[in-house]
Every structure is written in structure tokens, then in C-alpha cells.
Amino acid sequence: MTFGRSGAASVVLNVGGARYSLSRELLKDFPLRRVSRLHGCRSERDVLEVCDDYDRERNEYFFDRHSEAFGFILLYVRGHGKLRFAPRMCELSFYNEMIYWGLEGAHLEYCCQRRLDDRMSDTYTFYSADEPGALGRDEVRPGGAEAAPSRRWLERMRRTFEEPTSSLAAQILASVSVVFVIVSMVVLCASTLPDWRAAAADNRSLDDRSRYSAGPGREPSGIIEAICIGWFTAECIVRFIVSKNKFTHLSVHLVTAGLIKSMEEPG
């Protein structure tokens, strides 16, 4: 690096008022492309193509960017954990900061990647619905008026079922699902106990041995398990309808159903 104050062993990055000192050797191979580009600058014009301003006396480079986002990015490139969104910051704004410094969406933690995909999908749907004039004022986009609300509804339903923290309804739905899972597991485990089987045998007639048969002699455990199965079936159908990758969703549920069946088989 030939540009800068002669004899200075380090440079200072000023990002939104937060100052960071880096050695010239570290600057050359710095993981962030925009920062490492400073090492190849040969003139003030080259420097101003990389940053917003420069103080030659203090050897300080100014970047008019979000300081908190850069702090999270800097922790990530230094190996302190995985890259996650900064709190109280829009996912799209943080992603713009990542692009500016030279990172991509693949550097994000998986859960943050999903949040980013959802936010970008919502944004695309919003602008697709509010800007139908892309094809002209008098032209109508095929299915545009009906497809946009449908996509928004499916996206909201998908987030409700797959992201328990996305809304109050999602939290309630997740809690109800957990309750059904616990009840189903308790009934399944209790039905294997000898005392439970003996009591069930005493309450059944010889002609009414099916757990799911109707009638006054039906076992309470069979009723509870039938309700649980009905809930799981309805939830599986709705999840399949709103899922983005239906093949993967169906494969996962088939494997899960096979495991449950193998657990229920005696021996």
C-alpha cells in the first residue's frame, strides 16, 4: 500500500463513528473485500472509490455505514461465532450492509437465512401487488390481481406453522401442537402397561375389540388417540399445502410416519 501517511504501521477504520485499528499486514488479506481493497489503493481517488472520506494526517478512513451491523460482521470475520442479524435492525438493511462489505447471504446462520428469504419474499409480493403497471397502464398481469393476495395468504400461513416466534397465532398453534404431542405420547406409553391393558380388556366386549370403533363401549384412550391423530393429520395437510418444497415436506412426513409405526409394533 503506497498511499497514506508514511511510516504508519496501522490504519483506522471509522464506521459510523466507531473506530477500529488494523495493521497494514492484516489489511492486505482482510476477509472483507471492501476493506482489503484499501491495500491496493495508489491515490486519493482510488481511496475515495472504496470509502466515503479520508484523513491523511490521522491515516483514518471514513465509512458512512451502520456501526452496529459492522460490529457484528467484524466479530464474524474474526471467528467469534456465526453471523446473525443485529437486534432491532431490519433484515434487508443488514443484508445491504453485508453486500457493501463483501459478504453474501450464505454467510448467515441458517435460521437467519430463512428470515431473510421470508422478508425478501414478502417484499417481492408487496411490490408485485402495488405496482401492476410494469406491463403498462392498460395491460393486466395474468393472474396478478388474484395471485398476489393468494401468495401473501400462503406466506402468512407458512410462517404461522413453521416459525413459532413470527406472531401470537404461531405461538398459540405451536403450544397446542406440543400439548397434542405430549398427550399422544402419554397415551401411547400408558397403553403398554399391564394394568392399563387389563382394565381395557375388562371394559371391552368380545365383539368390540377395535380401539377406534364407535359405540358406548369405546375406550377413553381410543377417543383421545383418535383426536390426536385427527389433529396431526389436519396439521400435516395444511403444512403440505403451504410448504414451498412439497416433495421434501412429503418425504419427511413419510419417514416420520414409518418411524412411528415401527415404534408402535410390538417386539
Side-chain angles (χ1 to χ4, degrees):
M1 181 176 180
T2 59
F3 183 78
R5 193 178 65 185
S6 59
S10 63
V11 298
V12 177
L13 305 181
N14 190 319
V15 183
R19 303 173 77 248
Y20 304 90
S21 179
L22 300 175
S23 65
R24 290 181 179 270
E25 291 76 13
L26 182 62
L27 190 68
K28 180 180 180 181
D29 299 319
F30 202 75
L32 299 179
R33 290 195 298 269
R34 182 169 290 272
V35 177
S36 61
R37 283 171 57 190
L38 292 173
H39 188 272
C41 294
R42 297 294 182 267
S43 64
E44 184 174 358
R45 180 178 180 180
D46 294 339
V47 171
L48 294 178
E49 289 180 356
V50 178
C51 62
D52 297 300
D53 202 359
Y54 171 70
D55 189 333
R56 188 163 189 172
E57 294 298 325
R58 295 185 297 180
N59 208 33
E60 187 170 355
Y61 300 86
F62 296 90
F63 297 86
D64 188 15
R65 308 300 300 186
H66 198 286
S67 59
E68 187 177 3
F70 182 75
F72 273 74
I73 293 174
L74 195 59
L75 287 175
Y76 166 71
V77 299
R78 287 179 173 175
H80 299 287
K82 298 183 178 180
L83 183 58
R84 295 182 174 88
F85 292 125
R88 302 177 302 277
M89 185 174 181
C90 173
E91 293 86 351
L92 295 180
S93 299
F94 190 88
Y95 181 63
N96 287 335
E97 296 294 320
M98 291 171 53
I99 297 298
Y100 177 83
W101 294 109
L103 297 179
E104 299 176 354
H107 293 93
L108 283 168
E109 180 75 1
Y110 177 71
C111 59
C112 293
Q113 290 184 26
R114 292 185 57 185
R115 285 175 53 188
L116 178 63
D117 292 341
D118 292 340
R119 178 55 64 91
M120 295 181 72
S121 176
D122 292 343
T123 304
Y124 172 77
T125 302
F126 174 79
Y127 282 106
S128 296
D130 289 353
E131 298 181 4
L135 300 178
R137 284 180 180 264
D138 300 329
E139 297 182 26
V140 179
R141 185 175 299 170
E146 296 80 12
S150 176
R151 285 197 300 269
R152 287 201 299 270
W153 179 82
L154 287 175
E155 185 64 23
R156 284 197 296 266
M157 289 291 295
R158 187 187 66 79
R159 296 187 66 179
T160 300
F161 275 86
E162 296 185 1
E163 299 183 15
T165 59
S166 61
S167 64
L168 178 61
Q171 296 176 7
I172 296 175
L173 181 65
S175 301
V176 173
S177 296
V178 170
V179 170
F180 272 102
V181 170
I182 294 175
V183 171
S184 179
M185 291 177 61
V186 170
V187 173
L188 179 63
C189 295
S191 63
T192 62
L193 298 176
D195 294 341
W196 183 289
R197 289 183 175 181
D202 293 339
N203 294 331
R204 279 203 305 257
S205 64
L206 295 176
D207 297 331
D208 189 15
R209 294 184 177 277
S210 175
R211 178 180 295 180
Y212 306 107
S213 60
R218 188 172 177 180
E219 301 176 14
S221 62
I223 297 176
I224 297 175
E225 192 167 352
I227 294 174
C228 293
I229 292 176
W231 170 266
F232 297 145
T233 302
E235 185 178 2
C236 179
I237 293 174
V238 175
R239 285 179 179 272
F240 177 78
I241 293 174
V242 302
S243 64
K244 291 183 178 180
N245 193 333
K246 290 181 172 51
F247 176 78
T248 302
H249 177 85
L250 184 60
S251 301
V252 170
H253 280 278
L254 288 176
V255 172
T256 305
L259 293 175
I260 295 175
K261 184 178 180 181
S262 64
M263 292 173 60
E264 292 180 344
E265 291 179 354

